[in-house]
Amino acid sequence: MRKLVLLFIILLPILTFAQSKTLTAQNGQTYKIAGTDGFRGNDELWIYSTGYYLQKPTSNAGIDVYVVENKVVEIRDRAGAVFIENKPDPGVLKVGKDGFVISGNGAGRRWILANLKVGDSLSLDGKIPASSDPYFYPGFGMIQTANNQTLYLNGKNAARSANFVIYYTPDFYAKTPPNETGVDILVTNGKVEEIRDRADAVFIQKKSDPGVVQIADPANSFVISGNGEGRKWLIENIKTGEEIRLSGIDNKEVTPLSSSPCFNGAYYRKAVSSYDLWTGIGGLVKLGTPKFDEDRKRQDKNQYLDNFSVYMGGNAGGKFEVDAGLSWEFTVDESGKKSEKRNAFRPFWRTKTWNAAPAKKEFYFYPGETVQMAILVAGPKKLRLIISDGKTKTFQTEFEAEGFVAGLPRQFKRVNAIDQFGNEGKPVQPTKAEITGAEWLQTILIRGEGASAQQLPMNSARFTDMRCSDKNVVISGRDASKGAEKIDILGTSGN
C-alpha cells in the first residue's frame, strides 16, 4: 500500500496537464502542445513533468521554460546560446518537485521567445493548473463593474474559448472579432455604450446574427466578449450606461469609479481607490472623540451596541478583504485591571480572523492625538501595518494576507466608522452615538515597487467618495490636493 501511495504522489503533478492540447500565454496567444514527457520533434512544443525532465532532459536544440504555480520562473534558450551566439550550452534547467517544464524547438522555440517572459502567467486549455490557492490570479487583467463586482479576464486579443471573457483592442476586434456564440460589450470613455448579445439572438431567439459592434471612437474604446459562463456573468453584472473599469491591462493609472454601493450595517465614511498596481496606503490622522448612545446597550453584557473605528484596508482582486487600523477598546492598567468602559483606540487587523495589539499603554491612542497610519505590501501574501504617534508609541506588525500576490490589481481605502454589534450586512440601526473632530491631515497611495514606486496624494481624483449615509456623515475643511478632510459621523442626531 505504501508503494501505491508514493506512486500516486509522484504522478499527481503530471495529471494536471497530461491531456492538455493548447498552451495560452499571458498576452492571449496560443500554441499547440504536441505531447507530454516524450520526444520533442521539429517545431514542436512539449510539456514535461519535473521528474521526467530530470531523468531525460531535452537536447540543446531548443528552449526550456520552468513554470511553477502557473508562473514563468526561468527561460533558458539553449539553442540560441549554442547555434546563434556560438557560446557553450548553458545546460538543463535546475527544477524542483513543483511545477513543470515547457520545451520548444524551431517554430515552438520562436513562439516562446515572442510570447513568454519571466513572471508571466500561463494557462493550459484555458484552465489554470491545479493550485491550492483559492485566490489565484491568472494574470490577464480584471474587470470591476459599477456594482463593485470583479472578474478576472482570460486573455487579451485572443481566441475566445468556452466560458472565457476576453479583452479586445478596437483594431484587433475589427480585424478578428469573436463569433456569434457570445456577448460583445462596447465600452467608451469608461462607460458601457452597447451590449450586443449575439448568442441570445442566434441560439435562443432563433434570429439572424446582429453582427459585431461598431466602434465610433476607437481611441477611447475597447470591447470585452464573453462565452458560456463568461457571457452569463457579463449579462448579470453589466448594464448599458454604467461605468466599468479594467485593471492590469497596461501600466496606465486606473481612475476610480465615480460611485460605489454602500454596505449595510454601519455608519461610515470611506475613501476607496481604484483597482490598480497599488502597493500601499499611508496617512496622518487626528483621532476623533466618541460618544455612546446610553440607550443602546447589549443585554448580555454592560457594553454598547455601537463602537468606533478609524482604519485603512485593502482588497486583492475583489476576492480578499483586509481591514487594519484603530478600534475603540477597553484598556488594562499596570495592575492588570480592565477598564469598565472602552476608553482608548488600540491597533487591530482583520483578515479571516480579528487580531489586536497587546493591551499595553504603549499601544493606546486617545482622542485628539495625531497618528501616522500605513498598510504596505511586505511580500507575497503579506502586509505590514504601522501605527505611530511619531514620539513614544509605535506599533508595527506583518501578517498573512491571501491574494496579495505580484501583478494582481489591488484596492486600498481609509475609513471612519460607527460600527454596530451583530448588525453586519443588515439595515443600519438608529443611534444617537457619534464621533466628532476626526481629521485626515494627509493621505497618500503608493503605486509600484522598489525605486520606481510613486507616492501619490489620495486626492478626489483617486478615490470613490462614499458617505454611508449622506445625512450622517459631515465633511468639512477639505483639502483635496493632500487627501485631507475633517469628518464627523453623527448617527441619527445628524438628521
Side-chain angles (χ1 to χ4, degrees):
M1 179 63 69
R2 180 175 297 176
K3 290 183 179 180
L4 289 175
V5 172
L6 291 174
L7 180 62
F8 176 74
I9 293 173
I10 292 171
L11 291 178
L12 184 59
I14 301 174
L15 297 177
T16 63
F17 54 74
Q19 304 302 319
S20 297
K21 302 298 182 184
T22 305
L23 175 70
T24 303
Q26 183 167 303
N27 63 8
Q29 299 302 305
T30 61
Y31 200 89
K32 179 183 176 182
I33 298 170
T36 301
D37 286 349
F39 177 76
R40 184 198 61 201
N42 293 334
D43 296 324
E44 291 183 343
L45 188 152
W46 279 67
I47 292 183
Y48 297 92
S49 63
T50 56
Y52 186 96
Y53 181 82
L54 288 170
Q55 294 178 16
K56 298 180 179 181
T58 55
S59 71
N60 61 6
I63 187 171
D64 295 350
V65 180
Y66 186 29
V67 181
V68 178
E69 290 192 351
N70 208 36
K71 294 281 186 180
V72 176
V73 175
E74 183 180 354
I75 299 175
R76 185 166 296 186
D77 186 9
R78 300 173 66 190
V82 175
F83 300 107
I84 298 176
E85 300 179 17
N86 294 316
K87 294 181 178 180
D89 179 8
V92 298
L93 294 164
K94 293 182 179 180
V95 299
K97 295 180 181 180
D98 297 328
F100 56 91
V101 174
I102 302 165
S103 187
N105 171 279
R109 169 184 171 271
R110 293 192 294 274
W111 183 89
I112 288 173
L113 289 172
N115 294 285
L116 302 185
K117 61 181 184 294
V118 174
D120 277 0
S121 298
L122 302 175
S123 63
L124 302 172
D125 297 333
K127 299 177 182 178
I128 301 167
S131 173
S132 60
D133 185 358
Y135 307 101
F136 187 85
Y137 173 55
F140 297 109
M142 190 186 82
I143 300 172
Q144 181 189 15
T145 68
N147 63 350
N148 207 29
Q149 298 301 302
T150 59
L151 178 74
Y152 296 156
L153 292 166
N154 300 107
K156 174 183 178 180
N157 290 341
R160 189 199 60 207
S161 301
N163 301 316
F164 272 20
V165 176
I166 304 293
Y167 163 86
Y168 293 101
T169 57
D171 56 342
F172 189 96
Y173 180 83
K175 295 176 183 177
T176 317
N179 62 26
E180 74 279 10
T181 62
V183 61
D184 294 357
I185 298 177
L186 174 62
V187 180
T188 302
N189 291 317
K191 289 191 176 182
V192 178
E193 183 175 342
E194 182 181 353
I195 300 175
R196 186 166 294 190
D197 191 356
R198 299 168 67 188
D200 179 79
V202 174
F203 301 104
I204 299 176
Q205 300 186 47
K206 305 299 182 182
K207 297 180 180 180
S208 59
D209 179 12
V212 299
V213 296
Q214 301 302 309
I215 306 174
D217 184 8
N220 298 297
S221 302
F222 59 85
V223 175
I224 50 177
S225 184
N227 170 280
E229 291 300 316
R231 167 186 170 272
K232 180 181 177 182
W233 188 93
L234 293 175
I235 291 172
E236 289 177 349
N237 291 284
I238 297 177
K239 303 292 183 293
T240 302
E242 290 185 343
E243 289 184 303
I244 189 172
R245 295 289 183 270
L246 293 189
S247 306
I249 296 296
D250 52 38
N251 290 323
K252 295 180 181 178
E253 185 178 336
V254 180
T255 58
L257 294 169
S258 61
S259 64
S260 186
C262 289
F263 183 77
N264 287 336
Y267 297 91
Y268 62 93
R269 185 329 181 242
K270 179 192 292 188
V272 60
S273 75
S274 62
Y275 282 96
D276 201 349
L277 302 177
W278 305 118
T279 49
I281 183 173
L284 194 64
V285 60
K286 178 183 175 183
L287 301 177
T289 301
K291 179 182 176 182
F292 284 110
D293 183 342
E294 296 298 332
D295 295 326
R296 278 180 48 79
K297 291 187 176 181
R298 293 164 57 177
Q299 294 181 356
D300 56 334
K301 297 179 180 179
N302 187 28
Q303 297 182 25
Y304 296 93
L305 288 168
D306 303 300
N307 201 30
F308 311 93
S309 58
V310 53
Y311 59 95
M312 291 177 162
N315 188 296
K319 300 180 184 298
F320 189 81
E321 185 86 11
V322 170
D323 297 330
L326 293 169
S327 177
W328 193 240
E329 295 289 349
F330 297 95
T331 59
V332 177
D333 64 22
E334 294 182 356
S335 67
K337 183 180 180 181
K338 183 179 178 180
S339 61
E340 294 184 0
K341 295 184 178 181
R342 298 174 187 263
N343 61 355
F345 289 101
R346 181 155 56 105
F348 79 93
W349 61 102
R350 177 173 57 191
T351 52
K352 291 182 178 179
T353 59
W354 177 278
N355 305 273
K360 297 180 179 180
K361 64 179 182 179
E362 59 264 36
F363 301 138
Y364 297 145
F365 298 87
Y366 296 93
E369 287 188 323
T370 298
V371 299
Q372 302 169 15
M373 187 182 300
I375 297 178
L376 309 171
V377 175
K381 303 181 183 180
K382 187 171 291 187
L383 292 175
R384 178 181 300 126
L385 170 66
I386 305 170
I387 299 177
S388 175
D389 67 352
K391 300 174 184 176
T392 60
K393 296 186 292 187
T394 297
F395 177 79
Q396 179 171 317
T397 187
E398 289 189 2
F399 56 91
E400 296 298 316
E402 292 183 86
F404 283 79
V405 296
L408 176 60
R410 310 179 189 100
Q411 184 183 70
F412 284 95
K413 64 186 177 183
R414 60 169 170 81
V415 182
N416 296 64
I418 299 177
D419 307 301
Q420 297 196 314
F421 177 79
N423 199 48
E424 189 169 293
K426 302 175 183 177
V428 70
Q429 299 299 306
T431 181
K432 293 190 287 292
E434 61 183 45
I435 181 166
T436 59
E439 181 176 3
W440 287 97
L441 305 172
Q442 182 182 11
T443 318
I444 62 167
L445 289 165
I446 303 171
R447 190 172 190 269
E449 300 177 2
S452 62
Q454 299 172 286
Q455 294 188 20
L456 303 170
M458 194 177 184
N459 55 31
S460 56
R462 289 195 173 96
F463 69 79
T464 302
D465 187 328
M466 298 177 64
R467 310 179 191 195
C468 304
S469 66
D470 281 339
K471 61 186 178 181
N472 302 103
V473 178
V474 180
I475 307 295
S476 60
R478 189 167 183 172
D479 185 349
S481 66
K482 296 170 58 179
E485 61 186 14
K486 297 178 180 178
I487 304 169
D488 296 328
I489 305 179
L490 304 175
T492 53
S493 63
N495 296 336

